[in-house]
Every structure is written in structure tokens, then in C-alpha cells.
Amino acid sequence: MTTEERHRRIGELLRHREQVSVDELMAECGASGATIRRDLDVLALHGVLRRVHGGARSLVLRGENPEYGQREIEDHAAKVRIAAGVAALLQDRRHVWLDSGTTATEVARQLRQRDMTLMPMSLRAVNALTDGGPAAGRHPELLLPGGRLIAGEQSFRGPMTESNIRSLRFDTAVLTPCALNLEDGLLAHDLDDAAVKRAGLESAGRVIVACSGSKWNASAVALVAPLDAVDVLVTDKQLSTAELAQLTQHSVEVVIV
């Protein structure tokens, strides 16, 4: 495995287990003990895990939202494919609202040289959209929502954020839920995040949801919106006939990447 592949595998294991040992990771990744210990030190520095004697411990309780650093390394290849699928659905010279989160940041990277107006909900997305500066060529016009900045996520939340979103009208909202359930719809781990997501989708003429397979049927406390609010779903999950039928009943177009 490459370093990146090992980091992702370690992150995936800690999403489902409270603790892993160095010996287990050596067998899982086919790497030496010294290499695994270096990997764990790097991931601990990025807030993915906590180092303990002989291994590492997850920082996430069941049902909680993992830290950004851990989410960033998980399902990365799928998120890149999903982001490309979303970008292909967006037309130039349009106004687009862009959610916060790791998948949304990948979408931003796909759009950084597109001719459109974007309101991104995180500074990470802003950085991705302006990467390289003026010398890198054209960038979308950016509108920033203001409001309270959440340090770890670098995302905007709160009444000011919601009010500024609702004062505008977007052609498309790109929503990245924390979880998706075919019965409940779109979910978020944080109540303020859910409120910002609702403001974005309610201010847009079309709603595109970008959701990797790991978020399907996951648990989250806050309801964002039912499936009826979604126009297009872009996912890497191979859906069953029953799942496709249920989405069709809600008039959701499905794009599998």
C-alpha cells in the first residue's frame, strides 16, 4: 500500500472499531511496525485518531460526526468521482450554492476554473476555488455568507449565515448530507448545520445531492429535508431495484458514478 492508501485504511477501520493495535495494522496494511507508528503519529496530528500504547483509539462515538481530518481521507476516490459527476451537471454562468464538508471541497476543486457565481459554505472550499491565485487563470465569482465560523470545520453557521443565504436565489444548490435514509431523507449531525443546509436548498431552483455510499443509512440527529426536496442524487452506491424504485417515486434522478 502507498502512504495515502494506508492512511485511508486506518481511518476506515477506526470508523467501525474503538481501537486498533499496531500489530493488527501491520497485518492489515502489509507494512512494518515503524511505518505504522509513523502513520499513526501523522494521523493523530491531523485529528484523525488518538495515539495510545500499542496502537490508536477512535475519537468518534457512534452516531457522531468524525473530525474533518478523518472524513477527508475516507472514501476519497469515491468523493472525487462524485464531485466530477456533480460538476458535469452544472452549467456555466449560473449561480450555485455549495455546501460545506469534504465532498463539497472536492466539488469546489472541480469548479475552480468555471465561469459561474458560487456561494461556498466553508473556507476550505474557498481555498480550493482560489488555489493558484490569479496566475492560475479564471476563477468563479465568489459570494461569502458571513456568520459564525466553526474552527475545526472552517464552515459558516448561525442566523447571519442563514439570513444571507435566504436573501439570494440560486439556480442550483449542491448539498452534501452527513447521512441519507430513504425513509427520513437527508440528515445532519449538527442542528446549526442542518439549518444552513435547509436555507441553501430552499433558496435554489434545483437541488443536487452528493452522497458517498458510506453515508447511506448512517445515523444523524437532525433532519434536513425529505427526499421530495431532491432533484438529482449523485452517488457511488450501487442501488438495488427497490431503492431505485423508491427514489423514482420521489421524482429523484439518480446518477451513479
Side-chain angles (χ1 to χ4, degrees):
M1 288 186 180
T2 65
T3 300
E4 185 176 359
E5 289 170 339
R6 289 196 311 274
H7 287 184
R8 288 176 187 159
R9 182 57 182 151
I10 293 168
E12 289 168 359
L13 288 171
L14 285 171
R15 280 296 297 272
H16 304 287
R17 298 170 58 182
E18 184 178 344
Q19 187 167 326
V20 293
S21 70
V22 170
D23 288 343
E24 289 171 321
L25 294 174
M26 289 169 59
E28 182 73 30
C29 300
S32 69
T35 296
I36 292 298
R37 291 184 186 92
R38 284 195 297 270
D39 289 338
L40 296 181
D41 289 340
V42 170
L43 293 174
L45 185 64
H46 286 83
V48 174
L49 51 83
R50 180 162 60 89
R51 287 286 272 120
V52 296
H53 180 69
R57 182 180 291 273
S58 174
L59 294 174
V60 183
L61 297 175
R62 188 172 299 277
E64 284 190 331
N65 193 26
E67 294 292 332
Y68 189 96
Q70 180 167 341
R71 302 199 316 273
E72 188 174 29
I73 66 173
E74 291 177 346
D75 300 324
H76 184 258
K79 291 173 183 177
V80 171
R81 294 198 308 274
I82 290 169
V86 170
L89 296 170
L90 299 174
Q91 297 180 333
D92 285 349
R93 301 183 182 277
R94 297 291 189 271
H95 293 77
V96 177
W97 180 89
L98 181 60
D99 205 353
S100 60
T102 57
T103 304
T105 301
E106 292 300 331
V107 174
R109 291 191 177 101
Q110 295 283 335
L111 301 178
R112 60 188 171 191
Q113 291 188 330
R114 295 283 297 274
D115 182 13
M116 58 178 60
T117 300
L118 283 166
M119 178 178 272
M121 290 298 105
S122 79
L123 291 183
R124 297 180 193 275
V126 172
N127 290 334
L129 286 162
T130 57
D131 186 31
R138 66 179 182 181
H139 295 295
E141 179 180 358
L142 300 185
L143 304 174
L144 299 186
R148 181 166 55 95
L149 187 67
I150 307 302
E153 296 289 315
Q154 295 189 25
S155 61
F156 297 101
R157 295 180 192 167
M160 182 185 297
T161 305
E162 296 167 41
S163 177
N164 288 338
I165 295 169
R166 294 184 189 279
S167 71
L168 300 172
R169 292 295 177 265
F170 302 93
D171 297 293
T172 301
V174 177
L175 199 76
T176 57
C178 302
L180 186 152
N181 185 295
L182 289 181
E183 293 185 1
D184 297 324
L186 312 177
L187 304 167
H189 289 290
D190 181 90
L191 297 178
D192 289 341
D193 184 32
V196 168
K197 292 180 189 307
R198 278 195 297 273
L201 69 86
E202 290 170 1
S203 299
R206 179 178 66 155
V207 175
I208 297 175
V209 169
C211 185
S212 61
S214 63
K215 295 183 179 180
W216 282 74
N217 298 317
S219 61
V221 67
L223 177 64
V224 176
L227 289 176
D228 292 337
V230 180
D231 295 297
V232 185
L233 171 64
V234 183
T235 184
D236 66 320
K237 186 179 188 295
Q238 295 301 314
L239 301 175
S240 67
T241 302
E243 289 170 328
L244 283 170
Q246 190 168 348
L247 288 165
T248 300
Q249 288 177 358
H250 291 279
S251 300
V252 179
E253 177 188 348
V254 179
V255 177
I256 300 176
V257 296

Coordinates of all heavy atoms in Angstrom, one line a residue, residues 112-113 129-139:
R112 N -13.0 25.2 -10.0 CA -12.2 26.4 -9.7 C -11.9 27.2 -11.0 O -11.4 28.3 -10.8 CB -10.9 26.0 -9.0 CG -10.0 25.0 -9.6 CD -8.9 24.6 -8.7 NE -8.1 23.5 -9.2 CZ -7.3 22.8 -8.5 NH1 -7.1 23.1 -7.2 NH2 -6.6 21.8 -9.0
Q113 N -12.1 26.6 -12.2 CA -11.8 27.4 -13.4 C -13.1 27.5 -14.2 O -13.0 27.7 -15.4 CB -10.7 26.8 -14.2 CG -9.3 26.9 -13.5 CD -8.2 26.5 -14.4 OE1 -8.3 25.6 -15.2 NE2 -7.0 27.1 -14.1
L129 N -11.2 26.8 -4.4 CA -11.7 27.6 -5.6 C -10.7 28.6 -6.0 O -10.7 29.0 -7.2 CB -13.0 28.2 -5.3 CG -14.2 27.3 -5.2 CD1 -15.4 27.9 -4.5 CD2 -14.7 26.9 -6.6
T130 N -9.8 29.1 -5.1 CA -8.9 30.1 -5.5 C -7.4 29.6 -5.5 O -6.5 30.4 -5.6 CB -9.0 31.3 -4.5 OG1 -8.7 30.8 -3.1 CG2 -10.3 31.9 -4.5
D131 N -7.3 28.3 -5.5 CA -5.9 27.7 -5.4 C -5.1 28.1 -6.7 O -5.6 28.0 -7.8 CB -6.1 26.2 -5.4 CG -4.7 25.5 -5.2 OD1 -3.8 26.1 -4.6 OD2 -4.6 24.4 -5.7
G132 N -3.9 28.7 -6.4 CA -3.1 29.1 -7.5 C -3.1 30.6 -7.8 O -2.2 31.1 -8.4
G133 N -4.1 31.3 -7.2 CA -4.2 32.7 -7.4 C -4.5 33.1 -8.8 O -4.9 32.3 -9.7
P134 N -4.5 34.4 -9.1 CA -4.8 34.9 -10.4 C -4.0 34.3 -11.6 O -4.5 34.2 -12.7 CB -4.5 36.4 -10.3 CG -4.6 36.7 -8.9 CD -4.1 35.5 -8.2
A135 N -2.8 33.9 -11.3 CA -2.0 33.4 -12.4 C -2.5 32.0 -12.9 O -2.1 31.6 -14.0 CB -0.5 33.2 -11.9
A136 N -3.3 31.4 -12.1 CA -3.9 30.1 -12.5 C -5.0 30.2 -13.5 O -5.5 29.1 -14.0 CB -4.3 29.3 -11.2
G137 N -5.4 31.4 -13.9 CA -6.5 31.5 -14.8 C -7.8 32.0 -14.1 O -7.7 32.5 -13.0
R138 N -8.8 31.9 -14.8 CA -10.1 32.4 -14.3 C -10.6 31.6 -13.1 O -10.3 30.4 -13.0 CB -11.2 32.4 -15.4 CG -11.6 31.0 -15.9 CD -12.7 31.1 -16.9 NE -13.1 29.8 -17.3 CZ -14.0 29.6 -18.3 NH1 -14.6 30.6 -18.9 NH2 -14.3 28.3 -18.6
H139 N -11.3 32.2 -12.2 CA -12.0 31.6 -11.1 C -13.4 32.0 -11.1 O -13.8 33.0 -11.6 CB -11.3 32.0 -9.8 CG -9.9 31.5 -9.6 ND1 -9.5 30.2 -9.6 CD2 -8.8 32.3 -9.5 CE1 -8.2 30.1 -9.4 NE2 -7.7 31.3 -9.4

